[in-house]
Amino acid sequence: MITMSDYASYLLCAWGAWARRQASGALGYPRVSPMFRDAPVATGYASKPPLGLDVTDVQATDAAVQRLSAGDRRLCVEVYQHGGTTVEIAARLGVHRQRVPERLRRIHHELLGHLNDIAAGVDTSRSLSA
């Protein structure tokens, strides 16, 4: 049985891979490759997002991550873009190793709430400042 936290983690894993590709400028396979030289131009030999996610899903996740606090965004970047063990991540952040999974559980719930707001068209930045 998949929990909501598992789903949030799945979305963040896809977001992390997408963000790494964006940062490196990777765009998938080149248009002309010796391996696909004889393939028709319009038939999709390109990198694809993970099954069940498309670019709009990843962009919505990115928008939800941007609504997190700076500390929570940094934790997401460390876990889902840089990776490593919990001890390594905690050391990079300067926190105790037990804080990492505790904060991630809270972030997962908060992220899902932000995704719901985005899907509903709610602009939380305006409603919080008013």
Side-chain angles (χ1 to χ4, degrees):
M1 183 171 152
I2 296 177
T3 65
M4 293 306 282
S5 186
D6 292 337
Y7 178 66
S9 183
Y10 175 72
L11 290 174
L12 285 168
C13 285
W15 167 80
W18 173 82
R20 283 191 306 273
R21 283 193 307 273
Q22 294 295 317
S24 70
L27 300 173
Y29 293 117
R31 287 185 60 100
V32 178
S33 171
M35 187 168 133
F36 301 118
R37 147 180 94 213
D38 297 326
V41 175
T43 60
Y45 288 109
S47 300
K48 295 192 179 357
L51 186 62
L53 292 177
D54 62 10
V55 174
T56 57
D57 295 331
V58 177
Q59 289 171 339
T61 303
D62 185 55
V65 168
Q66 297 309 315
R67 292 182 179 199
L68 296 172
S69 70
D72 290 346
R73 279 194 312 270
R74 183 167 179 228
L75 179 61
C76 287
V77 167
E78 289 296 330
V79 171
Y80 295 103
Q81 291 183 24
H82 299 286
T85 65
T86 302
V87 173
E88 293 168 342
I89 293 166
R92 288 194 305 257
L93 294 172
V95 298
H96 191 273
R97 65 179 171 78
Q98 290 177 332
R99 294 287 297 148
V100 172
E102 291 170 358
R103 285 179 60 194
L104 277 177
R105 278 191 294 275
R106 183 184 49 75
I107 288 170
H108 289 164
H109 292 289
E110 191 174 338
L111 181 90
L112 292 173
H114 288 311
L115 284 169
N116 284 335
D117 290 344
I118 289 168
V122 176
D123 184 6
T124 56
S125 61
R126 236 185 286 143
S127 61
L128 290 176
S129 62

